[in-house]
Amino acid sequence: MSATEVLRRVPLFNDLGEADLARFAEVAREREYPKNSVILFEDDPGDALYIVSSGQVKVVLIGEDGREVILSVLSDGDFFGEMALIDDEPRSASARARSDSRVFPIDEARFQSLVRDTPFFALQMMKTLARRLRNMDARIGAPSKVKKKT
Ligand code: CMP
């Protein structure tokens, strides 16, 4: 599948015109991560967010005893790595490929211009953040109610 085809299916980009999408796809360089490899590390500085184009990516925290706590499992069309760009803090968690995965990085400058120029993009991102917060609330309050998709 071409980069444009992959990106057209991403909810964050639903409102982007064909020309903008094609321009973006032209510079987007897909990266491949084999199963179990780390895509980003908790506490590192963040300079990009990532869109999953194939495979599964898990968002994890490593406890003091070395145990991995899975916060979320993401698949194609989902994004991660936005938090460090939004609040200018280090990465809040690590992201690791749960299966062989491909992702599209969006660098910070492009992220800023997408937020500034495409209200739909910012709104979609806020919706996802709200959903993730709800899922965490549910997990803390009533684990049996947790929705699968975050
Ligand atoms: P960032 O903090 O930049 O890097 C780690 C990423 O993991 C973070 O951005 C989010 O994209 C993602 N993340 C952190 N916590 C959660 C969560 N509770 N649910 C889903 N994704 C999360």
Side-chain angles (χ1 to χ4, degrees):
M1 216 185 297
S2 74
T4 320
E5 280 168 335
V6 171
L7 295 174
R8 195 182 289 124
R9 289 156 28 132
V10 174
L12 266 181
F13 295 142
N14 273 354
D15 207 38
L16 232 55
E18 283 301 306
D20 286 336
L21 206 61
R23 212 171 309 129
F24 179 56
E26 230 170 73
V27 293
R29 291 282 163 267
E30 198 174 39
R31 290 193 202 154
E32 291 183 18
Y33 289 89
K35 182 177 175 175
N36 285 330
S37 58
V38 176
I39 303 171
L40 56 83
F41 284 96
E42 183 180 354
D43 290 332
D44 273 3
D47 58 359
L49 78 93
Y50 298 85
I51 291 173
V52 182
S53 56
S54 69
Q56 284 195 325
V57 172
K58 53 185 180 174
V59 175
V60 299
L61 295 174
I62 309 294
E64 278 171 9
D65 55 358
R67 229 165 31 101
E68 191 178 83
V69 177
I70 300 180
L71 299 178
S72 183
V73 177
L74 307 173
S75 56
D76 56 310
D78 292 331
F79 65 85
F80 61 96
E82 77 295 344
M83 287 172 61
L85 302 189
I86 292 170
D87 65 7
D88 217 15
E89 295 283 336
R91 297 295 192 194
S92 59
S94 299
R96 186 192 284 276
R98 191 178 185 223
S99 61
D100 291 347
S101 302
R102 290 166 189 259
V103 299
F104 277 107
I106 300 184
D107 66 42
E108 187 158 14
R110 189 165 292 271
F111 170 72
Q112 301 288 357
S113 69
L114 280 167
V115 170
R116 243 194 339 264
D117 303 337
T118 319
F120 182 87
F121 177 89
L123 198 59
Q124 281 293 100
M125 182 151 285
M126 283 194 272
K127 277 190 180 171
T128 304
L129 291 176
R131 195 178 69 229
R132 289 177 181 172
L133 187 55
R134 278 181 190 277
N135 282 352
M136 269 306 132
D137 290 353
R139 204 153 141 177
I140 292 165
S144 61
K145 279 201 217 157
V146 175
K147 286 185 199 144
K148 289 252 158 29
K149 173 107 174 142
T150 61

